[in-house]
Structures are given as structure tokens and as C-alpha cells.
Amino acid sequence: MGLFSVPEAREELARLRPVLAEIVGVRADAAELAASLREGGRRTDLGGLPEFKAAQARLDDLLAGVQATGAELKGFAPLLVDFPADLDGVPVLLCWLEGDEGLDWYHRADLGFAGRRRLP
């Protein structure tokens, strides 16, 4: 898609917050359902195999929705979302990690998460 400016990426993150929160909840439900299925397929308060399949399908839809914005989903647990950008002529990814209050970090596209720095 295109490059985000810092303000555009922050606006997109604000729009995505409810989706990201739902991903976290459905991810937890799916993990619990998967664990119960591994333990002999017993049902939990969340359900059984049909509910697990439904959670997987919902996660697929939610994740596709994030990607459709031009943001890049780089991690699932914890969630890691990057927004392609350019800072002073350098290709970077504006980086949000599950638990971050806002979009305050970036890293060069060629360095990955290990090169994560605070936005100036």
C-alpha cells in the first residue's frame, strides 16, 4: 500500500484499537479451547471443537482486516504491528507492540525489532 506519516499511523492505530483488543480476547479463547481439545477433546465453558473452529475463523477475519489497512502484522502473541514509513529519507517501520500505550517506536526496515528506537 503506501507509506504512513507518523500522524497517519497514529490515527490508524486508534481506529484499529478495538480490532486489536478483540484479537487479544479471541486469541485467548482459541488457546484455551485448543488446550482442552488436546486434553482429550473435553468441552469447556467456552465450548468444544465447533467454537475453536469459529474462533480460528474470526481471528483470520480480524487479522486480514488489520493487514488491509496497510499495516503489517509481524507478531501474534504478543501482537506486533508495523506501519511502513519514511523518517528523514530512511525506510522505517513505525512499531506498536501489544501493551504499548501509543505509537512511540520505530525501527529501520532492515534491522527489525532488535533495532527498535523511540520516535523523536
Side-chain angles (χ1 to χ4, degrees), residues 26 53-67 76:
V26 176
K53 296 284 189 185
Q56 286 182 313
R58 182 65 183 144
L59 280 173
D60 288 345
D61 288 344
L62 292 167
L63 298 173
V66 171
Q67 298 280 69
F76 180 65

Side-chain angles (χ1 to χ4, degrees), residues 15-30:
R15 282 191 292 274
L16 284 173
R17 286 286 197 172
V19 174
L20 298 172
E22 186 176 353
I23 290 170
V24 170
V26 176
R27 180 186 68 196
D29 289 349

Side-chain angles (χ1 to χ4, degrees), residues 3-4 6 85-92 94 106 108 119-120:
L3 296 178
F4 289 86
V6 173
D86 186 272
L87 291 180
D88 300 322
V90 178
V92 300
L94 306 174
Y106 77 98
R108 284 187 3 207
L119 280 166

